[in-house]
């Protein structure tokens, strides 16, 4: 099989595409023939050696895939060869084959393409967990989504609207804002001029947003703490800006506000039943046409450098995928 390997930390140009032996599923695993693999911002951190979890060299990047089960290992329950699935292996998805514990597989609807399946689990489960369990977003509340055109951002816009919130999409360009608008945003804010606070205050009659979804961090986080409503919840989702900010305790006191961490991986381990419940609801939303995953660009497997560089150049809108095998 062919696979993309990381053998040393650095830019995407350091990665290599190699032919290696086919895989064999172990106990409780299924061998998935990969048709599409999704890229996420953490993948760019991992190949650079900057992520919170760093596997030993050499490793195959990629935490999400869509494909078909080709072989079952011992004691796999609920799946058969030929099943169309979305896979969340954690690592190893950017290859023609990946072995996945059956607990990290899910059958997909006939109407869902492999590209959509590959980009579905992480962004939707992250954003739904953030808004439902962590923020407890209520109908009629105002939700501000920073980085609203990115994978988790556009999912948060879509889900926030579905949950009955008034959604403000924030992004650094008008092109990105128009992309977020298609997901259902009520208001658009271009924060490239560095004046987020004034714009949000104007849109909310001076109150600020009830919930702020922040996958960006850095300067935007600093501004977000100053445009949050009384009893507001500031969701810490990630640090795409590259700077981990600090939260001034006096602002929490004055606004009665909460800073709430959103760590999907830990939640999956601590509360697996709640995670499964969210995923079931999300797939039902998809079947009913209530959510429509935003696929931005798809690249051929051998053009993986270009795919990674979309993140480096901050041009991401929706999901970026690698086409490992053509879907007929």
């Amino acid at each position: 099989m062919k696979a993309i390997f990381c053998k040393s930390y650095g830019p995407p140009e350091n990665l290599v595409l190699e032919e290696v032996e086919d895989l064999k599923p172990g106990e409780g695993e299924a061998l998935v023939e990969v048709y599409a693999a999704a890229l996420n911002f953490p993948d760019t951190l991992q190949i650079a050696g900057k992520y919170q979890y760093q596997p030993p060299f050499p490793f195959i990047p990629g935490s999400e895939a869509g494909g078909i089960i080709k072989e079952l290992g011992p004691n796999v329950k609920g799946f058969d060869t030929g099943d169309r699935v979305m896979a969340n292996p954690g690592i190893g998805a950017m290859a023609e084959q990946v072995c996945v514990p059956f607990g990290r597989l899910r059958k997909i609807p006939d109407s869902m393409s492999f590209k959509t399946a590959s980009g579905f689990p992480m962004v939707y489960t992250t954003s739904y967990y953030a808004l439902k369990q962590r923020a407890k977003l209520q109908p009629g509340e105002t939700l501000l989504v920073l980085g609203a055109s990115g994978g988790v951002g556009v999912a948060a816009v879509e889900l926030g609207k579905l949950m009955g919130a008034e959604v403000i999409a924030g992004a650094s360009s008008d092109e990105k804002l128009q992309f977020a608008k298609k997901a259902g945003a009520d208001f658009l804010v271009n924060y490239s001029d560095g004046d987020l606070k004034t714009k949000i205050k104007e849109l909310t009659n001076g109150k600020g947003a009830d919930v702020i979804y922040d996958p960006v961090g850095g300067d935007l986080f600093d501004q977000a703490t100053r445009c949050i409503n009384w009893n507001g919840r500031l969701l810490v989702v990630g640090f795409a800006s590259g700077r981990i900010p600090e939260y001034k305790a006096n602002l929490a006191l004055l606004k009665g506000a909460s800073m709430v961490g959103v760590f999907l991986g830990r939640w999956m381990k601590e509360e697996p039943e709640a995670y499964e419940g969210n995923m079931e609801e999300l797939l039902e939303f998809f079947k009913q046409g209530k959510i429509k995953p935003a696929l931005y660009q798809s690249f051929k497997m051998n053009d993986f450098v270009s795919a990674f560089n979309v993140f480096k150049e901050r041009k991401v809108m929706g999901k970026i995928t690698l086409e490992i095998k053509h879907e007929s």
Side-chain angles (χ1 to χ4, degrees):
M1 70 164 189
K2 291 181 180 178
I4 297 167
F5 283 93
C6 179
K7 297 184 176 182
S8 63
Y9 296 135
E13 287 79 5
N14 282 19
L15 300 174
V16 291
L17 179 62
E18 291 185 352
E19 189 86 33
V20 294
E21 290 186 8
D22 287 351
L23 302 178
K24 197 74 177 175
E27 180 85 15
E29 291 183 334
L31 175 64
V32 176
E33 181 180 23
V34 178
Y35 278 70
L39 279 76
N40 295 285
F41 181 67
D43 296 323
T44 68
L45 297 177
Q46 198 165 57
I47 66 170
K50 299 177 180 179
Y51 195 51
Q52 53 204 2
Y53 164 66
Q54 291 297 146
F57 292 126
F59 65 88
I60 301 169
S63 59
E64 298 179 291
I68 295 174
I69 293 179
K70 302 301 290 184
E71 187 179 349
L72 299 175
N75 298 318
V76 173
K77 301 175 182 179
F79 294 93
D80 293 305
T81 57
D83 283 346
R84 300 173 72 251
V85 294
M86 61 174 68
N88 184 21
I91 197 168
M94 295 182 192
E96 291 180 328
Q97 299 175 353
V98 62
C99 288
V100 187
F102 73 89
R104 288 178 168 267
L105 292 172
R106 189 171 294 272
K107 296 175 187 178
I108 60 174
D110 292 339
S111 59
M112 181 179 281
S113 70
F114 291 125
K115 289 180 182 177
T116 297
S118 73
F120 191 91
M122 185 172 290
V123 295
Y124 277 103
T125 55
T126 295
S127 293
Y128 199 34
Y129 165 53
L131 299 178
K132 180 183 175 184
Q133 276 87 5
R134 301 304 285 149
K136 295 179 171 56
L137 182 68
Q138 300 299 309
E141 289 192 312
T142 300
L143 167 66
L144 168 61
V145 180
L146 306 178
S149 68
V152 292
V154 75
V157 170
E158 193 175 20
L159 289 169
K161 192 63 183 173
L162 182 61
M163 294 169 74
E166 186 174 64
V167 181
I168 304 171
S172 60
S173 74
D174 291 340
E175 181 185 12
K176 291 179 178 180
L177 287 172
Q178 289 305 311
F179 191 82
K181 185 177 181 180
K182 294 177 183 178
D186 297 291
F187 301 100
L188 308 176
V189 171
N190 186 326
Y191 49 59
S192 60
D193 60 2
D195 192 17
L196 177 68
K197 175 185 174 182
T198 301
K199 294 176 180 179
I200 299 304
K201 288 284 191 175
E202 289 176 351
L203 282 173
T204 58
N205 296 318
K207 294 181 179 179
D210 298 300
V211 175
I212 300 178
Y213 183 100
D214 180 18
V216 183
D219 293 345
L220 281 175
F221 177 93
D222 298 337
Q223 295 179 60
T225 61
R226 291 170 169 79
C227 60
I228 193 166
N229 196 6
W230 174 253
N231 284 333
R233 289 86 78 201
L234 176 51
L235 297 167
V236 180
V237 184
F239 313 104
S241 68
R243 179 173 72 84
I244 298 176
E246 296 181 358
Y247 191 29
K248 293 187 178 299
N250 66 308
L251 294 175
L253 184 151
L254 292 171
K255 294 176 176 289
S258 304
M259 181 178 71
V260 187
V262 180
F263 184 10
L264 180 71
R266 178 69 182 271
W267 180 63
M268 288 171 63
K269 293 178 181 178
E270 297 287 347
E271 302 177 47
E273 292 183 1
Y275 172 82
E276 289 297 320
N278 276 17
M279 180 60 90
E280 290 294 338
E281 290 178 21
L282 288 166
L283 284 173
E284 192 59 36
F285 292 156
F286 176 85
K287 291 175 185 177
Q288 295 175 6
K290 293 180 178 179
I291 56 175
K292 298 178 180 179
L295 299 178
Y296 177 52
Q297 281 182 285
S298 181
F299 295 82
K300 299 295 184 182
M301 187 179 188
N302 60 3
D303 196 18
F304 59 86
V305 172
S306 297
F308 271 95
N309 280 336
V310 176
F311 290 89
K312 183 179 178 180
E313 296 163 5
R314 299 185 181 276
K315 294 181 179 179
V316 178
M317 292 188 287
K319 289 295 292 193
I320 305 296
T321 60
L322 285 178
E323 183 181 295
I324 308 297
K325 183 176 181 179
H326 182 67
E327 185 174 357
S328 58

